[in-house]
Amino acid sequence: MTALTLSTAGASTLRVDVVVVGIAKGGKGPVIAPGAEAVNKAFDGKLATVLETLGATGAEGEVTKLPAPAGYKAPVILAVGLGAVPEKNESYGSEALRRAAGTAARVLSGTKKAALALPVAQAADVEAVAEGALLGAYAFTAYQGGEKRAKKGDKGPKLPLAEITLLGAKPRDKAHKAAADRAIALTEEINRARDLINTPPNDLTPEAFAAVASAAGKENGVKVEILDEKALTKGGYGGILGVGQGSVSPPRLVKLSYTHPKAAKTLALVGKGITYDSGGISLKPPGHNETMKCDMSGAAAVFATVISAARLGLRVNVTGWLALAENMPSGSAVRPGDVLRMYSGKTVEVLNTDAEGRLVLADAITRASEEAPDAIIDVATLTGAMMVALGNRTFGIMSNDDAFRTSLHEISSEVGEASWPMPLPADLLKGMDSPTADIANIGERMGGGLVAGLFLKEFVGEGITWAHLDIAGPAFHEGAPYGYTPKGGTGSSIRTLVRLAERTAAGDLG
Ligand code: BES
Ligand code: MN
Ligand code: ZN
């Protein structure tokens, strides 16, 4: 884990491996961003010219290394691009800072200590830089560089930056300190969620996920209750059991309860936790199942949010429901044509076993509804159709309450997560009519993401505000890393959900 400290020391005096400065793209070449004044001075005020000579422009994501000036303890300066220079009187936006800090921390993996001389005039900037740096420093190396390789002299995988110092951020300033503390707690939970998503599905079974949740709950004062396959059978959770019945690793429903004695509101979060989605008997073709360990990203996001709420001591109750199962084809698997009796009592004809997420979520949403929370938000890598609609970096938001959907969209923009509001057109419901059961688990192909949302809506308790986040696109990043986004699990939607909990605690929302 990467350590973060705040310091008002001069950049030249620090015993670090590299000092990071920010540069932006100006009309006439790169411009040195605030925070790096002293470094620039050590270059006789010519750092921008030197960088331009080296080909730097200040474009977002660009990195340029150069030797440190005389008198510096650090041997290297790294200039990271912030993108366009802000308009007059405006400061660098939080997302630009997050991405630049993330890029720097990421490209410095294999290095031990870095000092960041980036713009941190306000506490919000401290938070953004800290968040970006700690997310960008993430690497999943648990399965690389075994003992044998190490013995042959191979050092194994590059390790994340060990220590980051934020220069210009004041350790004795209460707002700066609080911003850094929030960033540390939040990013540790996001990075733990990323670990869970990246862990191969032969190791992360529903039972193993439940065990991780149980241990983290204990550590953070969060109550954890686990329903195993016996308890699920007794309770009549036909959706979760149906999806899990083809696997040798049985399903689990995990309830995480964070409560605050002075809380006025309760949020219920429901996460899709398919530890591996093969498609089941409606098997996915090659090319579509290699990354399906990511199908528990919703549950990972819910888990991270509840633990974050506890670590931050938020004045709101947050209940997390992790619907964990493995979707496998076998002699005991659910078949296309089977009818499941759900926890709600509704019957569902399973016409496609690959539409499994909505089955496990439906049971968990019904169960969550019984406790009459102020709102239910489910999070799921639910449909390929949402990726077709919104691409790989944007999640879709559906809701039975337009104002709530708008709030979630605004919150996600505020925390630097891309999302877009999507409709729930009632006419798509009849496509799920079943000749045999109350409803089928698939409907029209067109608008498949909305069809899935409409299916879930059928299981939301009367009068309860509900939203559905389809994170199929942004949950798992297959391309080259950028900013603070690594390859693999991203931790999508956690920052949005934690901010929602904070806003609810503050009484900002309905
Ligand atoms: N887990 C998938 C959705 C998915 C696809 C997530 C790609 C991330 C990347 C989900 O269970 C699924 O298979 N959905 C089907 C539904 C269809 C059968 C109605 C889909 O989207 O094709
Ligand atoms: Mn599926
Ligand atoms: Zn799935």
Side-chain angles (χ1 to χ4, degrees):
M1 217 159 18
T2 308
L4 182 101
T5 48
L6 309 186
S7 169
T8 48
S12 62
T13 64
L14 288 166
R15 288 182 195 284
V16 293
D17 301 299
V18 53
V19 175
V20 175
V21 301
I23 60 168
K25 201 169 174 162
K28 295 182 224 122
V31 173
I32 306 301
E37 291 84 0
V39 182
N40 190 20
K41 208 167 165 198
F43 279 93
D44 294 329
K46 297 196 179 80
L47 182 55
T49 316
V50 173
L51 283 164
E52 193 171 16
T53 311
L54 293 170
T57 64
E60 182 192 323
E62 179 189 80
V63 286
T64 311
K65 268 188 186 173
L66 65 162
Y72 268 60
K73 295 232 160 72
V76 175
I77 304 290
L78 178 92
V80 62
L82 282 153
V85 175
E87 302 281 312
K88 248 204 161 76
N89 302 325
E90 291 207 6
S91 52
Y92 288 88
S94 290
E95 184 61 6
L97 294 177
R98 229 180 256 121
R99 289 191 185 200
T103 298
R106 177 166 49 75
V107 304
L108 289 172
S109 73
T111 311
K112 287 220 168 68
K113 297 183 185 185
L116 309 189
L118 291 168
V120 287
Q122 292 160 24
D125 303 336
V126 172
E127 186 164 340
V129 170
E131 218 172 82
L134 293 170
L135 290 174
Y138 174 82
F140 185 66
T141 55
Y143 289 79
Q144 292 167 335
E147 233 174 16
K148 278 187 200 136
R149 274 178 58 196
K151 268 185 202 146
K152 279 183 203 143
D154 182 332
K155 287 197 209 102
K158 275 191 189 173
L159 294 176
L161 257 179
E163 285 176 38
I164 298 172
T165 306
L166 298 195
L167 296 177
K170 307 179 189 84
R172 273 183 218 93
D173 178 318
K174 269 194 187 141
H176 283 198
K177 177 79 168 56
D181 287 346
R182 180 185 183 273
I184 291 167
L186 179 59
T187 57
E188 279 179 5
E189 294 313 318
I190 293 174
N191 287 338
R192 171 163 37 201
R194 289 170 166 183
D195 278 346
L196 286 168
I197 298 165
N198 292 329
T199 299
N202 53 335
D203 281 346
L204 194 82
T205 58
E207 187 182 9
F209 194 153
V212 172
S214 180
K218 251 193 211 119
E219 222 173 275
N220 294 285
V222 169
K223 187 172 163 200
V224 183
E225 294 157 84
I226 301 174
L227 299 190
D228 63 10
E229 68 272 31
K230 260 173 84 181
L232 290 167
T233 306
K234 205 167 160 216
Y237 292 83
I240 296 172
L241 286 165
V243 171
Q245 75 190 36
S247 171
V248 293
S249 305
R252 295 284 183 270
L253 177 63
V254 178
K255 180 187 184 188
L256 300 158
S257 316
Y258 163 66
T259 53
H260 189 286
K262 291 186 183 147
K265 301 255 161 160
T266 299
L267 289 176
L269 309 176
V270 176
K272 172 177 174 181
I274 302 299
T275 57
Y276 184 69
D277 182 13
S278 70
I281 297 295
S282 313
L283 193 63
K284 285 181 187 293
H288 290 261
N289 46 30
E290 292 80 358
T291 59
M292 278 304 132
K293 66 176 181 181
C294 81
D295 216 18
M296 34 56 71
S297 296
V302 166
F303 167 53
T305 303
V306 179
I307 302 295
S308 297
R311 287 181 63 166
L312 299 171
L314 303 185
R315 210 173 176 153
V316 57
N317 300 325
V318 186
T319 311
W321 300 90
L322 317 181
L324 308 174
E326 187 183 37
N327 187 23
M328 292 293 271
S330 76
S332 64
V334 68
R335 315 157 188 78
D338 279 358
V339 172
L340 301 176
R341 183 170 293 279
M342 307 292 280
Y343 181 70
S344 74
K346 248 196 228 325
T347 55
V348 178
E349 185 175 16
V350 179
L351 292 178
N352 188 323
T353 64
D354 199 11
E356 84 297 341
R358 62 198 75 182
L359 298 172
V360 300
L361 287 170
D363 275 359
I365 288 171
T366 308
R367 178 65 189 85
S369 298
E370 287 178 357
E371 306 193 350
D374 293 288
I376 297 177
I377 301 97
D378 78 74
V379 196
T381 47
L382 205 59
T383 66
M386 197 54 56
M387 305 170 76
V388 172
L390 297 178
N392 284 324
R393 295 189 185 181
T394 304
F395 63 81
I397 311 178
M398 285 146 267
S399 177
N400 59 4
D401 179 325
D402 289 353
F404 190 52
R405 188 189 56 211
T406 302
S407 296
L408 279 165
H409 174 55
E410 284 169 1
I411 287 169
S412 83
S413 311
E414 193 182 300
V415 299
E417 292 195 306
S419 75
W420 202 252
M422 301 295 277
L424 289 169
D427 62 284
L428 288 174
L429 197 56
K430 66 178 182 313
M432 288 183 284
D433 280 351
S434 159
T436 319
D438 295 330
I439 190 169
N441 78 327
I442 54 169
E444 289 178 36
R445 196 172 73 85
M446 295 297 168
L450 320 180
V451 171
L454 280 163
F455 180 93
L456 297 178
K457 186 166 171 251
E458 291 299 298
F459 294 86
V460 177
E462 188 86 27
I464 299 179
T465 301
W466 157 81
H468 160 55
L469 312 183
D470 190 338
I471 61 168
F476 198 81
H477 181 56
E478 291 187 67
Y482 65 95
Y484 53 83
T485 305
K487 247 186 181 327
T490 62
S492 172
S493 80
I494 298 169
R495 286 184 282 144
T496 297
L497 292 172
V498 171
R499 182 57 57 87
L500 170 72
E502 288 171 334
R503 295 275 294 269
T504 308
D508 287 358
L509 296 162

